């Protein structure tokens, strides 16, 4: 096993990262669900071991560092397949979203969608996004570059499902829309054709219920709106580009409601020390304010405040609860 891991690391370490700028996502329209059901960045797992919050369905997999990111690396199987450990069965709702970062060697990850009748319906992410074992087989190419230029880089995948419709995104593009997928997904898995020389690699997995719904009206009716759609790297205040789907919607809302003023509140989980979390939450709130100003919102309409770990909306005992505590709130002033 140790020799196998060294091969994977050698492949990854000499490849380049995909540079993603937040400006590239200026037209992004994906908005993740409001309630996080599962989230894992594998940072709590030991290098070289199987991920603690996952179940192995087939093949072999280990946690490893790949091109500067800690990832779940599927190293054997045709198909290798893993699934998140979620206690509640059939956890997907009528509206849900799935996101993950993936690194392409020869094969990109396959997102398996378990339905009542079958568990092998799948969306294949990569330069070509296509469906397998759907009532209608659909496919579309990533609109930029070539298949060769797509490889050896990190990419972001996202899927939004609502009432039978699926929208599939890779990086800043909505690549494939499935008007009616013909079944009701209940659970997910990830996998693909994997080997020690060409592993399937992914990280930053998030499954959430809800999504693609206009919830910003809560600012007017309830005076407050909570979102997990603005994301940051661990212990950093740099806004991830995929947050632009929500930010674009928020800017549109603020321009249509020019009398609304907002306080932007940053919140963290309880990991780390209290003082550092307070500082980080303030930096993240400030970063959101700065981005909104950059997008055309007058700074006089915005204020920012960090609360650190002092106002949790759930306990901090599970990864999902911690993920829900890491949030940004918008309070009408």
């Amino acid at each position: 096993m140790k020799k196998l891991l060294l091969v994977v690391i050698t492949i990854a370490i000499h490849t380049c990262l995909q540079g993603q700028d937040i400006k590239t996502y200026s037209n992004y329209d994906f908005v993740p669900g409001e309630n996080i059901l599962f989230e894992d960045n594998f940072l709590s797992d030991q290098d070289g071991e199987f991920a603690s919050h996952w179940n192995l369905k087939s093949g072999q997999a280990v946690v490893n560092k790949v091109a500067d990111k800690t990832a779940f690396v599927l190293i054997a199987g045709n198909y290798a397949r893993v699934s998140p450990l979620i206690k509640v069965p059939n956890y997907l709702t009528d509206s849900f979203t799935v996101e993950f970062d993936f690194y392409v060697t020869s094969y990109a990850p396959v997102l398996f969608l378990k339905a009542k009748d079958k568990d092998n319906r799948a969306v294949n992410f990569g330069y070509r996004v296509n469906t397998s074992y759907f009532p209608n087989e659909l496919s579309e190419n990533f609109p930029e570059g070539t298949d060769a230029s797509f490889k050896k880089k990190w990419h972001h995948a996202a899927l939004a499902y609502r009432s039978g419709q699926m929208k599939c995104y890779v990086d800043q593009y909505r690549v494939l829309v499935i008007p009616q997928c013909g079944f009701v997904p209940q659970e997910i898995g990830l996998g693909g054709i994997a080997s020690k020389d060409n592993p399937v690699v992914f990280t930053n997995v998030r499954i959430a219920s809800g999504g693609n719904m206009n919830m910003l009206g809560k600012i007017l009716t309830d005076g407050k709106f909570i979102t997990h759609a603005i994301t940051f790297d661990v212990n950093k205040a740099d806004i991830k580009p995929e947050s632009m789907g929500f930010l674009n919607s928020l800017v549109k809302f603020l321009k249509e409601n020019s009398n609304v003023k907002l306080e932007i509140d940053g919140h963290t989980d309880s990991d780390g020390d209290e003082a550092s979390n307070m500082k980080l939450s303030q930096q993240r709130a400030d970063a959101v304010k700065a981005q909104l100003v950059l997008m055309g919102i007058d700074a006089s309409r915005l204020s920012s405040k960090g609360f650190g770990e002092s106002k949790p909306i759930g306990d901090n005992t599970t990864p999902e609860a911690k993920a829900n505590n890491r949030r940004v709130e918008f309070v009408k002033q």
Side-chain angles (χ1 to χ4, degrees):
M1 180 63 76
K2 293 298 182 183
K3 291 182 179 178
L4 204 58
L5 300 181
L6 288 173
V7 172
V8 174
I9 294 170
T10 303
I11 293 170
I13 204 70
H14 294 295
T15 54
C16 62
L17 286 167
Q18 165 112 344
Q20 288 292 338
D21 190 290
I22 200 165
K23 293 179 181 177
T24 324
Y25 281 68
S26 59
N27 296 315
Y28 196 56
D29 65 359
F30 173 84
V31 178
E34 297 82 37
N35 182 45
I36 299 172
L37 303 175
F38 179 86
E39 185 173 273
D40 201 356
N41 57 15
F42 306 104
L43 292 176
S44 64
D45 292 302
Q46 185 176 342
D47 189 62
E49 299 295 334
F50 190 84
S52 57
H53 300 295
W54 292 75
N55 185 31
L56 181 66
K57 298 288 188 178
S58 59
Q60 288 291 298
V62 294
V63 173
N64 243 291
K65 198 86 167 180
V66 176
D68 295 335
K69 289 189 180 185
T70 300
F72 207 10
V73 183
L74 279 56
I75 53 176
N78 185 13
Y79 281 80
R81 187 168 173 179
V82 294
S83 61
L85 289 174
I86 300 179
K87 293 181 179 179
V88 179
N90 304 329
Y91 49 81
L92 295 179
T93 59
D94 184 59
S95 296
F96 69 86
T97 60
V98 181
E99 296 176 85
F100 55 91
D101 295 332
F102 66 97
Y103 186 88
V104 184
T105 52
S106 287
Y107 300 104
V110 175
L111 177 65
F112 292 100
L113 297 161
K114 177 185 176 183
K116 188 174 182 180
D117 58 337
K118 292 183 179 181
D119 67 355
N120 63 342
R121 300 186 190 275
V123 178
N124 305 284
F125 282 90
Y127 182 74
R128 175 177 289 272
V129 178
N130 64 283
T131 61
S132 298
Y133 303 105
F134 276 48
N136 297 308
E137 302 295 323
L138 301 171
S139 66
E140 189 59 56
N141 285 346
F142 184 74
E144 185 179 292
T146 64
D147 186 29
S149 66
F150 191 83
K151 295 178 179 179
K152 308 300 182 185
K153 297 174 182 176
W154 280 105
H155 299 276
H156 185 73
L159 180 146
Y161 173 91
R162 186 181 185 188
S163 302
Q165 184 189 74
M166 283 185 185
K167 297 179 181 179
C168 305
Y169 299 77
V170 176
D171 295 338
Q172 70 269 37
Y173 297 108
R174 185 202 296 177
V175 180
L176 181 65
V177 176
I178 306 163
Q180 284 295 325
C181 69
F183 62 95
V184 179
Q186 297 178 331
E187 300 177 7
I188 76 139
L190 281 162
I193 301 173
S195 68
K196 63 180 181 180
D197 296 320
N198 293 298
V200 172
V201 181
F202 59 87
T203 191
N204 295 327
V205 182
R206 177 190 274 194
I207 307 168
S209 59
N212 286 337
M213 293 180 285
N214 182 18
M215 302 294 287
L216 287 169
K218 284 189 173 183
I219 293 174
L220 300 178
T221 58
D222 300 346
K224 183 172 77 170
F225 179 75
I226 297 173
T227 184
H228 301 94
I230 304 174
T231 55
F232 308 85
D233 284 325
V234 177
N235 295 326
K236 294 183 179 180
D238 298 326
I239 298 173
K240 287 187 176 182
E242 53 265 29
S243 306
M244 284 298 291
F246 172 80
L247 290 172
N248 286 332
S249 298
L250 178 58
V251 167
K252 182 175 183 291
F253 170 85
L254 289 172
K255 289 182 177 179
E256 291 173 348
N257 297 273
S258 57
N259 61 325
V260 173
K261 295 184 178 181
L262 295 178
E263 178 183 278
I264 304 163
D265 296 341
H267 299 266
T268 70
D269 60 29
S270 61
D271 288 351
D273 67 84
E274 189 173 348
S276 296
N277 285 335
M278 186 67 72
K279 180 180 178 181
L280 179 63
S281 65
Q282 182 65 58
Q283 291 173 335
R284 288 178 171 179
D286 291 342
V288 174
K289 177 183 176 180
Q291 182 60 36
L292 291 174
V293 171
L294 191 63
M295 295 170 73
I297 304 303
D298 195 300
S300 65
R301 299 174 61 190
L302 305 169
S303 60
S304 56
K305 190 171 182 180
F307 289 90
E309 61 189 74
S310 65
K311 292 188 175 184
I313 55 176
D315 60 43
N316 280 289
T317 59
T318 66
E320 293 72 40
K322 290 179 181 180
N324 279 298
N325 285 332
R326 296 190 297 269
R327 67 197 189 277
V328 178
E329 296 188 7
F330 297 91
V331 182
K332 186 179 177 183
Q333 299 299 291

